[in-house]
Amino acid sequence: MPIQILMPALSPTMTEGNLVKWHKKEGDSVEIGDILAEIETDKATMEVESVEEGTIGKIFVPEGTDDVAVNTLIAALLEEGEKASALEGMGSKSVESSVATPKATAESAPQKEEPKPKASAAPAPAPVPKLEVVAPVQQSTASGKAFASPLAKRIAAQNNLDVSTLAGSGPRGRVVKADVETAMASGSAPAPKAQPQKAPQRVPQGEIMAADDLFPAYEKLKVNNMRKVIAKRLSQSKQTVPHFYLTVECQIDALLAARQDLNENFEKTERISVNDFVIKAIACAMRDVPEANASWADDHVKIYQSVDVSVAVAIEGGLVTPIIKQADQKPLSLISAEMKDLAKRARDGKLRPEEFQGGTVSVSNLGMFGIKEFSAVINPPQGCILAIGAGEKRAIVNDSGALEAATVMSCTLSVDHRVVDGAIGATFLKAFKSYIQKPVKMLV
């Protein structure tokens, strides 16, 4: 009996994924531990290893297929001595169900009565054309636009390359990051056009819809798995979690001076950022006020024994929150190195599930974008998220009653009122402010 290879659930929240690439083709032999395919989840693109050995007898879901439901049959493995005839009748509806109506897999299950062996096996290639229907991007190619991933376009633009002339190795000839890097490394990258156009900075990735009586023409962008999950989780958070907000203003002149001193006088491979200080200060404050390091669980409250800080990182197509674990116990240099590594791998889609799932408190820093103050949405099931604004020069009244200039940063704590009351939230912010304004406390 052939071994079924099903669409795996690579995270607890995954219900469907995109089959980005097959690393094996029909007829290839497979050993335990071999990489079979790359699957895009709601957070990252991950490699799937084989847990069996044999020969790829049939691939039912081609690479480049989106929205494949978990547990859908995507391929079959023939064991030693098995013949291809053993595959007859297997997975004849796999491609059709995953591409045309991925969410209707359960509804179409009763049709399993139909498979009369040989009659259903013959038309198996028929579903393949359905893949072509999903390619509104091809309209862009016909109009002279580059058929490339957003990341490949950005890297090409940063290096003055004409991405439209590169050969693509991705699904349906799509130019991906590796193609751009290969062209740069080999020195065969095409020169930029003499008159660079301004438009390519925002190349449409979706179908252009015509104007009607009420609205102008618009671009219809496909929603990726990550954006679907973000929309679902944040809608659920705002609808079911009773948010309230507390804001504190922190003077960060001493922190900026300490940062400059550390970066200038200590030999470190990575420069320490303001965000590294913020992560450490949150962790230390949570350690001092453990009642805030908590989450709601219907009939009880979880008070966590470790402070794991989830840090919001913007990536192409969405947002991910890699975690600095036990951040209160780590020096700034280690936090800095870990954060840079996690952020880079988050943008490359290479994070492991345990690196972005979990966390006991979140931080979102928009200060580098010049945002003065904002309120973030709580990341369930966590009880708190701290929103960090930009440090800016302001006139303040000092302890002696005189006016002076100081660099002030506004920080707003969003709190789940089921878990943390106002007094606990205020106590946490008082502790956080003390660490930010006297950073030497974080170093001892």
Side-chain angles (χ1 to χ4, degrees):
M1 180 71 181
I3 300 169
Q4 295 186 352
I5 301 175
L6 305 180
M7 186 67 169
L10 298 175
S11 73
T13 59
M14 179 178 168
T15 58
E16 57 189 33
N18 301 334
L19 207 162
V20 178
K21 181 179 180 180
W22 280 105
H23 284 261
K24 298 287 185 179
K25 60 182 183 297
E26 292 181 3
D28 284 356
S29 61
V30 176
E31 301 292 335
I32 294 174
D34 283 356
I35 303 299
L36 292 177
E38 292 180 20
I39 306 293
E40 181 189 16
T41 71
D42 54 329
K43 296 292 185 184
T45 300
M46 304 176 68
E47 295 178 336
V48 176
E49 296 183 358
S50 177
V51 295
E52 303 283 354
E53 59 183 25
T55 302
I56 298 289
K58 180 72 174 177
I59 290 176
F60 297 107
V61 179
E63 64 181 38
T65 304
D66 294 344
D67 301 329
V68 183
V70 167
N71 292 329
T72 297
L73 178 63
I74 59 175
L77 207 60
L78 292 173
E79 296 185 273
E80 186 177 356
E82 280 189 319
K83 297 182 179 180
S85 58
L87 298 166
E88 290 183 358
M90 285 186 65
S92 59
K93 295 190 287 291
S94 293
V95 176
E96 184 174 357
S97 61
S98 2
V99 178
T101 52
K103 300 195 174 166
T105 307
E107 298 172 12
S108 58
Q111 297 179 4
K112 284 185 179 176
E113 312 170 2
E114 286 180 24
K116 296 269 176 189
K118 302 178 183 174
S120 57
V128 176
K130 292 177 180 287
L131 294 174
E132 304 303 324
V133 181
V134 206
V137 187
Q138 304 246 3
Q139 297 180 3
S140 302
T141 331
S143 61
K145 305 292 185 183
F147 183 35
S149 72
L151 179 58
K153 289 174 186 169
R154 187 171 74 237
I155 296 173
Q158 291 169 350
N159 291 276
N160 291 326
L161 304 183
D162 181 7
V163 71
S164 64
T165 62
L166 297 179
S169 63
R172 302 187 298 282
R174 186 182 181 93
V175 176
V176 295
K177 174 187 173 186
D179 300 323
V180 179
E181 292 177 339
T182 300
M184 291 167 55
S186 65
S188 61
K193 295 179 181 177
Q195 283 283 7
Q197 302 175 355
K198 294 181 182 178
Q201 293 181 2
R202 178 66 177 90
V203 179
Q205 292 296 303
E207 184 179 0
I208 301 300
M209 310 301 289
D212 57 29
D213 294 338
L214 296 177
F215 298 101
Y218 63 92
E219 179 183 353
K220 184 179 178 181
L221 291 179
K222 182 181 176 182
V223 179
N224 62 18
N225 287 348
M226 180 183 297
R227 181 55 60 186
K228 289 177 185 175
V229 172
I230 289 172
K232 180 180 179 180
R233 285 175 59 82
L234 294 188
S235 296
Q236 179 186 29
S237 178
K238 287 296 283 186
Q239 290 169 4
T240 63
V241 176
H243 288 56
F244 76 94
Y245 309 95
L246 301 169
T247 300
V248 68
E249 293 186 342
C250 304
Q251 294 180 37
I252 60 171
D253 296 282
L255 185 151
L256 294 175
R259 173 178 176 262
Q260 182 177 359
D261 189 39
L262 287 171
N263 287 333
E264 288 180 354
N265 297 303
F266 292 87
E267 291 187 8
K268 301 290 182 184
T269 55
E270 301 288 353
R271 292 178 63 82
I272 294 171
S273 68
V274 171
N275 204 48
D276 300 327
F277 277 95
V278 168
I279 294 168
K280 178 70 172 180
I282 290 173
C284 291
M286 280 290 176
R287 180 191 61 202
D288 295 349
V289 189
E291 298 89 348
N293 191 38
S295 66
W296 179 255
D298 291 331
D299 61 347
H300 63 279
V301 172
K302 297 178 180 179
I303 305 292
Y304 296 106
Q305 302 301 298
S306 170
V307 183
D308 299 340
V309 182
S310 302
V311 184
V313 174
I315 64 174
E316 195 101 36
L319 182 76
V320 70
T321 52
I323 304 166
I324 303 292
K325 296 184 178 179
Q326 298 182 329
D328 60 313
Q329 300 178 27
K330 293 178 178 176
L332 283 167
S333 57
L334 183 55
I335 289 174
S336 178
E338 283 190 15
M339 194 62 243
K340 287 178 175 63
D341 172 61
L342 289 168
K344 181 182 184 303
R345 288 192 290 114
R347 296 186 179 100
D348 292 340
K350 299 299 182 183
L351 287 180
R352 299 187 297 273
E354 64 270 20
E355 293 176 320
F356 60 81
Q357 293 173 7
T360 62
V361 61
S362 289
V363 58
S364 179
N365 189 345
L366 293 180
M368 63 284 291
F369 297 103
I371 300 300
K372 179 180 178 180
E373 181 182 339
F374 70 105
S375 300
V377 180
I378 292 171
N379 182 20
Q382 296 173 6
C384 299
I385 181 170
L386 190 62
I388 307 296
E392 59 178 8
K393 286 289 185 182
R394 301 183 199 171
I396 65 164
V397 179
N398 61 25
D399 293 339
S400 62
L403 281 176
E404 66 176 28
T407 308
V408 179
M409 179 175 73
S410 294
C411 306
T412 299
L413 183 69
S414 303
V415 178
D416 181 348
H417 212 330
R418 299 172 301 179
V419 182
V420 178
D421 294 327
I424 295 173
T427 304
F428 165 78
L429 282 181
K430 181 179 179 181
F432 170 77
K433 182 176 180 177
S434 73
Y435 284 110
I436 288 291
Q437 296 197 159
K438 294 181 179 179
V440 68
K441 293 173 61 179
M442 292 185 253
L443 307 177
V444 296

